Amino acid sequence: MRKKIIVIGAVGGGATTASQLRKLDDKSEIILLERTSYLSYGACGMPYYLGDVIKEREDLFAYTPEKLQAKKNIDVRMQHEAVEIDREKKSIRIKDLLNNEEYQESYDALIIATGASPFIPDISGLDRIPSFPLRTVEDMDNLKNYLETKKPSAGAIIGGGFIGVEMAENLTHLGIDTCIVERSNHVLSVIDEETALKVQQHLKEKGVKVYLQNGLHKIISETEIQLDDGESIETDFLLLSVGIKPNNKLAIQADLTVGESGGIKVNEFMQTDDPSIYAVGDAVESFDLIDGSPKQVPLAWPAHRQSYIIAKHVTGRPVPFKGMLGSAIAKVFDLTIASTGLGEKELSKRKTKYMTATHEGKSHAGYYPDSKDVYVRVHFCPDSGKIFGGNVVGGEGVDKQLDVLSTAITGGLTVVQLQEIETCYAPPFSSPKGLLNMIGYKAEKMMGS
């Protein structure tokens, strides 16, 4: 039967869901609504465009509305905002922002992909100093224009998460004296402190000042800010990178359940309380792969996987979503840092009994030129050996180690079974016993086996 499917939001999760639906169903009507004038762009590439690593702005865009419409037969409506959902009538009220007109559209299935918005700190006088979030294309363009026209000499990044450290590198490459202000006791607060300290030290070596257990207290002038501890910093502009909040207004208005994180609650098929309404991406609170607890992860992989789960369910071939590890990675100057699963903070918060095996080795055989130091931490259950998560930091091959660890967790391997993974070896690439093999041997001793 020919269905009418409406997708609200056309960035990562929304555009991917519409495309996946069309792959599995060549008959249904698919309408894709986007309130801005930008479609399906690579938000993760923004720091590198701002840092002139990516030269062409257009390279960040996967599709134009015209191309998506012509190639996929999807009715793409740009600058159209979903205003209200009527669950009883199975219809939505839509506002055409260009013509300032409203109309109703019925649906058989509705997908909410409204994403998230940057959290803007409530600081008096924030408008006195140039301040930029970095979430949308408009944000990126505003900051790019400022950097090119004003040519600032100093910038302060408020928030030391993944975007914060990536932007610290890119602003430094532009010759801007850069600092990071972070409320936690180390940058990258979701990473174990031992791992993050190596990145922190590297940032300092590259000239980035790092202010910890601190926050933006007030704006003194258009070129000076004061931190919570009273210290003043001179800066030409602020990059606000203190987190995001899911765009849940439509869901709340429609009386759909929202979780503690603010994300829309969904089941294993990405359905909300209403079985005909699904949610995907940064707007969603799903669940953790390790222990099933609620989890909100604003990353690309979960959004793309969730898109597939929705498309399969809507087209009658259901596949359950099994949860998220939150695997993440960042390049910070000459280092790469990555993590997956539950870290020390989360495990302690859950009062979970765990052990941690660590190993520091080389990215490839030490006698072959240019090997780099790599540090690995893996958390596991001391009784069963179940792997809870881990971090990797180093100068080369970090993504390989982290991806193998993520695969091991997903496949249900124990920490001791990391010994058994047969990784390929040649001197330019690795060692006869890989870094995670070594974690497996160390963990076995720790468990007393």
Side-chain angles (χ1 to χ4, degrees):
M1 187 182 82
R2 189 172 188 265
K3 294 179 180 179
K4 184 175 182 181
I5 306 165
I6 299 179
V7 183
I8 303 170
V11 185
T16 304
T17 303
S19 182
Q20 289 283 352
L21 282 163
R22 180 54 78 218
K23 281 182 182 179
L24 299 176
D25 180 352
D26 60 1
K27 294 183 174 59
S28 288
E29 179 184 3
I30 301 173
I31 299 171
L32 183 59
L33 306 174
E34 173 53 47
R35 66 181 178 181
T36 73
S37 52
Y38 300 105
L39 166 77
S40 191
Y41 55 87
C44 297
M46 288 180 179
Y48 303 100
Y49 171 67
L50 291 166
D52 282 341
V53 177
I54 297 171
K55 300 295 183 183
E56 300 297 327
R57 179 180 180 275
E58 290 69 29
D59 290 346
L60 296 177
F61 295 87
Y63 276 103
T64 62
E66 295 77 18
K67 184 179 176 183
L68 187 61
Q69 192 145 339
K71 190 174 180 180
K72 304 278 189 178
N73 188 27
I74 293 169
D75 182 355
V76 182
R77 302 181 189 178
M78 303 302 292
Q79 292 182 274
H80 280 63
E81 182 177 9
V83 178
E84 187 177 27
I85 300 169
D86 188 327
R87 289 170 54 185
E88 189 174 336
K89 294 181 179 178
K90 294 186 76 169
S91 72
I92 59 173
R93 182 158 56 92
I94 301 167
K95 185 172 185 178
D96 179 343
L97 299 175
L98 281 175
N99 299 311
N100 197 29
E101 295 175 351
E102 291 191 358
Y103 62 96
Q104 296 287 135
E105 198 77 68
S106 63
Y107 63 83
D108 294 302
L110 179 68
I111 294 97
I112 301 174
T114 46
S117 298
F119 179 78
I120 306 299
D122 183 17
I123 303 292
S124 177
L126 197 59
D127 56 347
R128 296 176 62 194
I129 190 168
S131 302
F132 303 91
L134 185 58
R135 182 71 186 173
T136 66
V137 174
E138 290 91 341
D139 295 336
M140 179 187 74
D141 288 343
N142 288 338
L143 181 51
K144 184 75 167 179
N145 179 65
Y146 172 81
L147 294 173
E148 291 183 342
T149 58
K150 301 300 183 182
K151 303 198 180 303
S153 60
I157 300 170
I158 311 301
F162 281 96
I163 295 296
V165 296
E166 287 175 345
M167 281 302 300
E169 175 186 350
N170 282 283
L171 292 176
T172 301
H173 282 168
L174 295 177
I176 296 169
D177 185 16
T178 304
C179 71
I180 294 174
V181 179
E182 168 58 44
R183 285 195 181 277
S184 178
N185 62 348
H186 60 82
V187 297
L188 299 165
S189 61
V190 298
I191 306 291
D192 294 344
E193 183 175 4
E194 289 289 330
T195 317
L197 287 177
K198 295 179 182 293
V199 176
Q200 207 163 278
Q201 181 60 35
H202 189 60
L203 284 164
K204 292 175 182 177
E205 289 169 358
K206 294 295 184 177
V208 177
K209 298 183 187 72
V210 180
Y211 299 89
L212 300 172
Q213 293 179 293
N214 237 319
L216 176 61
H217 180 65
K218 69 176 181 180
I219 310 300
I220 296 174
S221 71
E222 60 273 8
T223 59
E224 189 177 5
I225 62 173
Q226 187 180 82
L227 305 185
D228 288 340
D229 68 356
E231 184 169 356
S232 296
I233 298 173
E234 290 189 5
T235 184
D236 296 313
F237 71 98
L238 302 178
L239 176 68
L240 305 175
S241 183
V242 292
I244 60 167
K245 49 187 178 182
N247 293 328
N248 56 22
K249 182 179 175 183
L250 263 181
I252 291 173
Q253 168 270 320
D255 201 26
L256 300 172
T257 301
V258 168
E260 288 183 14
S261 67
I264 304 164
K265 293 282 281 187
V266 292
N267 66 11
E268 69 269 32
F269 301 111
M270 307 311 297
Q271 290 172 296
T272 66
D273 299 329
D274 187 323
S276 63
I277 301 177
Y278 301 76
V280 63
D282 294 358
V284 166
E285 180 176 278
S286 187
F287 54 94
D288 187 89
L289 179 65
I290 303 293
D291 65 3
S293 60
K295 195 173 187 116
Q296 201 262 335
V297 177
L299 293 171
W301 186 89
H304 282 256
R305 180 61 182 169
Q306 291 164 2
S307 296
Y308 176 78
I309 299 296
I310 291 173
K312 292 288 281 186
H313 196 266
V314 170
T315 56
R317 288 162 280 187
V319 174
F321 185 60
K322 295 182 179 178
M324 299 181 281
L325 287 172
S327 300
I329 191 167
K331 176 184 177 297
V332 187
F333 293 98
D334 303 327
L335 288 182
T336 304
I337 184 163
S339 71
T340 192
L342 301 176
E344 287 182 315
K345 285 184 181 177
E346 282 298 309
L347 290 166
S348 297
K349 185 178 173 182
R350 287 165 163 77
K351 295 183 170 56
T352 301
K353 187 169 66 169
Y354 71 95
M355 284 181 169
T356 303
T358 67
H359 182 70
E360 190 148 15
K362 295 291 185 180
S363 56
H364 58 252
Y367 58 80
Y368 188 88
D370 299 324
S371 65
K372 304 287 194 280
D373 290 332
V374 180
Y375 176 67
V376 184
R377 290 174 66 81
V378 176
H379 310 303
F380 59 93
C381 174
D383 301 320
S384 68
K386 178 179 178 177
I387 304 170
F388 294 135
N391 317 154
V392 187
V393 62
E396 181 185 66
V398 168
D399 55 335
K400 175 170 69 174
Q401 304 301 326
L402 199 284
D403 288 344
V404 171
L405 183 60
S406 174
T407 303
I409 297 172
T410 304
L413 299 187
T414 67
V415 69
V416 174
Q417 286 177 304
L418 292 177
Q419 300 173 9
E420 302 171 19
I421 297 176
E422 185 180 348
T423 55
C424 55
Y425 163 65
F429 303 106
S430 59
S431 299
K433 280 192 288 195
L435 300 178
L436 286 171
N437 293 149
M438 294 303 300
I439 289 287
Y441 288 115
K442 287 186 173 183
E444 183 180 31
K445 286 184 179 178
M446 294 171 68
M447 294 172 72
S449 301

